[in-house]
């Protein structure tokens, strides 16, 4: 939520900042703004709407040349997305400029205080109070770094703040609490950004900051301190992807590109994680084998698509390990006083590693002495940093708001975790694990096969352009895939879409079935006789009531043919692994339908990637 860029160096700050914002726009796109320091003062512009509006304004009224600047793309929390509420914000005299991500929870009290002291606040944002406080501090003689430390000590809530002092063009100062911020380390230039995409075209060397830290970047130096001014160290790391990964590469949307990257992403997620005998090696699982043997309950937490990955994982982990496994939405888990002990393993799934709801859930779990293992795609992000262990998914940057390769690689990480637990606890023989690992190894090719059939899914989307409602049915691990198919359609095509467990139909949802209603049905492999037969009956029942059935069933499954209006063929894979292939046509369908409807697939309305507020 909200994209932030800061730059000091020899280049034109406007270009560096706007390019960085373009790569971060997926984090929020309600409004955008920029500020630079030129001639001893701040110059800037901000506009409601997408970044293009700001760029147009800058063409009409260019900024003076400058080499120090900050920028912001907003996802509104306090105050509507207007020009006035867009960032950067300034204090009374306009000497400082501030951009912010997060929520300053005590802003109302601070605002009253400032107004009582004669300050005139112009926006409805919580950010503006920080700008006024910073300006007061620098006007009182503090340098911007000291001012930032002082102000942060007064703020409550979650925030990343990045500020400029018009009278000091040598530095950009930033601070973070419970909100993302990374530093980019260049040659005679340095950067700050919400994530590395902000500066990936300039450098792949980065510095990870801890909680409650302030960083001052100048052209030649980076200094980190805590909020009390004590020097601190950031953790340096090399970003293992490059600019091409952050670009569309000829695709119309990042989402489509990311869907097509899935065979590679799935392969990368497994790379180096087992030896030739199929024995799993998860080096990053820093919880000892002894502790893993003690685990008597697993609770998986996540939000949205990540939670659906958890729902699939439950079936696999319980089946392979016989450890009871619950799955819960992170925001529900956090506030219901869950029962946790030191033998509970909490698994937090998050592509971004910054989702505030999931972060709060793991913090709560750790205060209850549960062990926390993160499954995450973003190196150095807050959730893995605050967990006892992490399995990185190695999907590469996921830019589209809707998660696709993030999801498939989360599934891989969950399978690996389940198998690893089974191995450590002696629940499966080596040859059983080897055989499942062998099946997993075939998955990139199976996913590729689903992609090779994309045209037929696109044709289906073209046929269904005018529908207003779509249902998805599944059983067992097909149920979370039904939920995921529906979520993708809601968020991208803005359609009424619902996913159901097929067994639940007769308990209510079947009343929704009417003539011509499209229903996607995820059919389990035939190996699971009971499941398969029950799913086939459900399809018959809805078809008898007029549903248009779009049936995802494995190759050679002729039993469903008489009841399928449209057939999507899945490769023959073990039941537990079927989600990896069944999700793909549903992703393609949502992407294509939204494209045909003229929607912005990468930046759906009201949404933002990386939900850093609760
Ligand atoms: C849906 C989607 C969201 C995210 C959810 C969690 O396509 O992308 O539902 O899955 O916001 O995000 P992470 O995984 O970053 O914690």
């Amino acid at each position: 939520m909200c994209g932030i860029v800061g730059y000091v160096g020899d280049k034109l700050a406007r270009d560096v900042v706007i390019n960085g914002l373009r790569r971060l726009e997926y984090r929020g796109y309600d409004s955008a703004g920029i500020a630079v320091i030129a001639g001893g003062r701040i110059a800037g512009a901000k506009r409601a709407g997408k970044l293009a509006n700001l760029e147009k304004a800058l063409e009409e009224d260019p900024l003076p040349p400058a080499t120090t600047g900050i920028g912001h793309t907003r996802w509104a929390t306090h105050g509507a997305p207007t020009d006035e509420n867009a960032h950067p914000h300034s204090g009374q005299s306009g000497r400082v400029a501030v951009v912010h991500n997060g929520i300053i929870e005590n802003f109302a009290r601070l605002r009253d205080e400032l107004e009582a002291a004669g300050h005139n606040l112009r926006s409805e944002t919580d950010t503006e109070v920080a700008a006024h406080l910073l300006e007061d501090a620098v006007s009182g003689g503090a340098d911007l770094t000291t001012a930032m430390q002082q102000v942060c000590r007064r703020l409550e809530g979650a925030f990343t703040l990045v500020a400029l002092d018009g009278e000091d063009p040598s530095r950009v100062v930033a601070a973070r609490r419970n909100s993302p911020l990374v530093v980019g380390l260049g040659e005679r230039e340095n950067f700050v950004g919400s994530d590395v995409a902000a500066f990936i075209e300039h450098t792949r060397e980065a510095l990870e900051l801890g909680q409650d830290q302030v960083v001052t970047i100048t052209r030649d130096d980076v200094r980190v301190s805590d909020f009390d001014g004590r020097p601190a160290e950031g953790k340096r790391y090399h970003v293992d992807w490059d600019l091409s990964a952050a670009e569309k590469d000829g695709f119309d949307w990042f989402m489509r590109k990311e869907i097509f990257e899935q065979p590679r992403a799935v392969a990368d997620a497994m790379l180096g994680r087992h030896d030739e005998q199929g024995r799993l090696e998860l080096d990053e699982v820093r919880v000892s084998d002894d502790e893993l043997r003690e685990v008597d309950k697993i609770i998986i937490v996540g939000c949205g698509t990540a939670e659906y990955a958890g729902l699939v994982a439950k079936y696999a982990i319980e089946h392979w390990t016989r450890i009871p496994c619950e799955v819960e939405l992170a925001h529900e888990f956090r506030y219901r006083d869950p029962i946790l002990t030191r033998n509970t393993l909490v698994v937090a799934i998050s592509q971004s590693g910054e989702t505030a709801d999931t972060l709060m859930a793991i913090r709560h779990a750790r205060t209850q002495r549960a062990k926390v293992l993160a499954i995450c795609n973003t190196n150095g992000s807050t959730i893995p940093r605050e967990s006892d262990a992490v399995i990185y998914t190695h999907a590469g940057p996921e830019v589209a708001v809707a998660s696709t390769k993030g999801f498939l690689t989360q599934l891989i990480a969950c399978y690996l975790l389940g198998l690893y637990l089974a191995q450590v606890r002696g629940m499966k023989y080596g040859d059983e694990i080897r055989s499942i690992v062998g099946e997993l190894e075939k998955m990139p090719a199976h996913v590729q096969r689903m992609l090779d059939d994309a045209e037929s899914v696109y044709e289906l989307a073209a046929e269904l352009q005018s529908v207003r409602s779509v249902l998805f049915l599944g059983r067992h691990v097909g149920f979370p895939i039904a939920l995921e198919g529906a979520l993708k359609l809601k968020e991208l095509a803005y359609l009424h879409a619902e996913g159901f467990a097929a067994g639940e139909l007769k308990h209510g949802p079947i009343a929704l079935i009417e003539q011509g209603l499209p229903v996607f049905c995820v059919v389990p492999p035939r190996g699971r006789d009971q499941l398969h037969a029950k799913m086939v009956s459900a399809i018959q029942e809805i078809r008898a009531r007029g549903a248009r059935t779009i049936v995802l069933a494995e190759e050679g499954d002729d039993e469903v043919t008489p009841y399928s209006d449209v057939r999507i063929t899945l490769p023959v894979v073990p039941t537990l692994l079927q989600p990896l292939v069944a999700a793909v046509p549903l992703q393609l369908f949502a992407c294509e339908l939204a494209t045909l409807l003229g929607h912005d697939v990468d930046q759906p309305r009201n949404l933002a990637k990386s939900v850093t507020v609760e």
Side-chain angles (χ1 to χ4, degrees):
M1 283 202 168
C2 299
I4 286 182
V5 189
Y7 175 72
V8 193
D10 294 331
K11 296 181 181 134
L12 216 49
R14 177 210 176 276
D15 294 349
V16 176
V17 169
I18 294 291
N19 287 342
L21 290 182
R22 197 168 297 122
R23 297 193 200 296
L24 293 183
E25 206 184 3
Y26 65 91
R27 301 182 74 96
Y29 31 85
D30 292 342
S31 55
I34 181 170
V36 297
I37 304 177
R41 53 179 285 275
I42 303 277
K46 48 192 198 169
R47 285 291 180 277
K50 294 207 170 176
L51 184 60
N53 294 358
L54 174 67
E55 288 182 279
K56 189 158 171 280
L58 291 176
E59 269 164 34
E60 285 160 9
D61 188 7
L63 292 174
T67 55
T68 305
I70 59 176
H72 188 265
T73 62
R74 178 168 185 248
W75 187 86
T77 54
H78 291 74
T82 60
D83 287 356
E84 194 58 74
N85 289 334
H87 299 213
H89 288 280
S90 292
Q92 200 68 28
S93 69
R95 177 171 163 182
V96 302
V98 178
V99 296
H100 165 222
N101 176 33
I103 295 178
I104 298 171
E105 284 169 4
N106 57 339
F107 95 100
R109 200 170 65 233
L110 294 169
R111 189 183 175 108
D112 290 348
E113 195 182 294
L114 285 162
E115 283 176 344
H119 286 254
N120 174 23
L121 284 90
R122 293 176 291 264
S123 76
E124 301 157 272
T125 65
D126 49 344
T127 310
E128 200 183 347
V129 299
H132 281 252
L133 291 171
L134 277 171
E135 201 170 272
D136 270 1
V138 291
S139 306
D143 62 49
L144 189 59
T145 306
T146 313
M148 185 65 94
Q149 290 157 355
Q150 285 169 5
V151 170
C152 286
R153 292 200 293 271
R154 301 200 56 200
L155 302 182
E156 289 165 16
F159 49 85
T160 298
L161 291 168
V162 182
L164 296 179
D165 173 0
E167 295 184 14
D168 181 1
S170 71
R171 70 174 89 191
V172 170
V173 178
R176 75 171 291 241
R177 168 181 286 165
N178 293 335
S179 185
L181 179 70
V182 282
V183 180
L185 305 168
E187 287 286 321
R188 290 167 60 85
E189 59 184 356
N190 287 303
F191 309 79
V192 288
S194 308
D195 66 50
V196 293
F199 48 74
I200 193 70
E201 63 185 293
H202 305 285
T203 179
R204 290 167 69 184
E205 298 309 311
L207 192 75
E208 183 185 314
L209 296 174
Q211 274 318 337
D212 286 8
Q213 289 188 339
V214 169
V215 60
T216 302
I217 59 165
T218 60
R219 193 186 67 170
D220 299 307
D221 196 21
V222 171
R223 285 195 187 208
V224 185
S225 73
D226 65 16
F227 286 175
D228 291 318
R230 285 185 292 260
E233 295 267 310
K235 190 169 146 210
R236 225 183 139 115
Y237 66 102
H238 179 74
V239 182
D240 57 10
W241 47 271
D242 60 12
L243 181 60
S244 64
E247 299 199 320
K248 280 193 217 156
D249 232 1
F251 284 87
D252 52 348
W253 303 113
F254 276 108
M255 180 184 180
R256 208 184 304 268
K257 173 182 172 240
E258 288 160 8
I259 293 173
F260 277 85
E261 282 171 348
Q262 291 182 118
R264 166 89 274 142
V266 165
D268 286 350
M270 280 183 293
L271 203 67
R273 284 179 162 160
H274 60 84
D275 64 16
E276 279 174 10
Q277 282 70 48
R279 210 182 145 70
L280 291 162
E281 295 168 345
L282 295 182
D283 295 339
E284 320 109 291
V285 176
R286 294 180 299 256
V287 182
S288 72
D289 286 359
D290 280 344
E291 284 170 310
L292 290 179
R293 278 188 274 271
E294 296 288 303
V295 169
D296 58 13
K297 180 163 81 167
I298 296 174
I299 306 181
I300 304 180
V301 293
C303 301
T305 291
E307 196 239 359
Y308 298 154
L311 289 174
V312 174
K314 173 186 164 72
Y315 290 89
I317 291 177
E318 286 195 340
H319 182 69
W320 291 332
T321 68
R322 309 312 296 156
I323 308 172
C325 180
E326 298 169 13
V327 186
E328 197 160 352
L329 290 164
H331 34 91
E332 288 298 317
F333 168 86
R334 168 64 188 89
Y335 295 104
R336 74 166 172 86
D337 193 15
I339 301 165
L340 300 162
T341 71
R342 56 171 71 241
N343 292 337
T344 309
L345 178 68
V346 172
V347 178
I349 306 182
S350 174
Q351 187 285 129
S352 63
E354 300 290 353
T355 299
D357 293 311
T358 311
L359 178 61
M360 294 308 152
I362 66 164
R363 284 192 181 156
H364 180 70
R366 292 195 80 197
T367 61
Q368 306 294 302
R369 297 185 302 165
K371 288 270 172 299
V372 175
L373 182 145
I375 289 179
C376 182
N377 192 38
T378 312
N379 202 307
S381 55
T382 311
I383 290 171
R385 265 215 332 270
E386 296 200 12
S387 299
D388 299 294
V390 55
I391 301 178
Y392 281 112
T393 49
H394 300 309
E398 193 179 64
V399 175
V401 163
S403 187
T404 53
K405 62 177 180 171
F407 177 63
L408 255 56
T409 54
Q410 284 162 357
L411 293 177
I412 294 287
C414 290
Y415 294 132
L416 294 175
L417 173 64
L419 291 172
Y420 186 68
L421 285 168
Q423 174 179 292
V424 167
R425 296 161 69 98
M427 298 301 293
K428 285 235 165 279
Y429 294 114
D431 58 338
E432 290 174 294
I433 293 180
R434 193 157 51 244
S435 127
I436 304 168
V437 168
E439 293 295 339
L440 279 172
E441 286 294 343
K442 294 182 202 156
M443 282 300 157
H446 290 320
V447 172
Q448 184 59 51
R449 230 198 86 190
M450 298 313 299
L451 295 171
D452 294 343
D453 283 346
E455 272 315 315
S456 57
V457 178
Y458 295 163
E459 280 164 26
L460 178 66
E463 267 176 57
L464 295 181
Q465 268 184 81
S466 53
V467 299
R468 292 306 311 146
S469 181
V470 182
L471 300 186
F472 295 78
L473 290 184
R475 285 191 85 103
H476 193 262
V477 288
F479 170 41
I481 295 308
L483 296 172
E484 171 64 359
L487 178 62
K488 286 287 161 290
L489 218 48
K490 281 179 220 174
E491 63 183 330
L492 301 173
Y494 316 148
L495 282 186
H496 168 247
E498 300 227 35
F500 297 108
E504 193 62 11
L505 263 185
K506 293 200 268 303
H507 302 285
I510 200 163
L512 290 171
I513 306 293
E514 55 187 22
Q515 197 59 39
L517 179 79
V519 185
F520 284 80
C521 308
V522 184
V523 181
R526 283 157 303 165
R528 303 294 287 256
D529 286 340
Q530 284 205 335
L531 275 180
H532 182 268
K534 291 202 157 45
M535 189 67 202
V536 177
S537 316
I539 299 174
Q540 283 174 267
E541 284 159 16
I542 56 166
R543 197 150 183 277
R545 288 163 177 80
R548 176 154 190 218
T549 56
I550 301 149
V551 175
L552 287 76
E554 71 179 5
E555 199 169 352
D557 183 347
D558 299 327
E559 252 180 87
V560 291
T561 311
Y563 318 111
S564 311
D565 291 307
V566 178
R567 171 72 182 263
I568 296 176
T569 302
L570 304 176
V572 178
V573 299
T575 304
L576 284 168
L577 307 190
Q578 198 195 45
L580 287 165
V581 287
V584 177
L586 305 186
Q587 298 167 341
L588 288 167
F589 179 75
C591 179
E592 182 66 8
L593 188 59
T595 306
L596 294 170
L597 293 174
H599 297 167
D600 186 332
V601 169
D602 287 337
Q603 297 174 357
R605 70 182 180 204
N606 304 336
L607 292 173
K609 201 155 184 79
S610 190
V611 185
T612 53
V613 292
E614 269 189 280

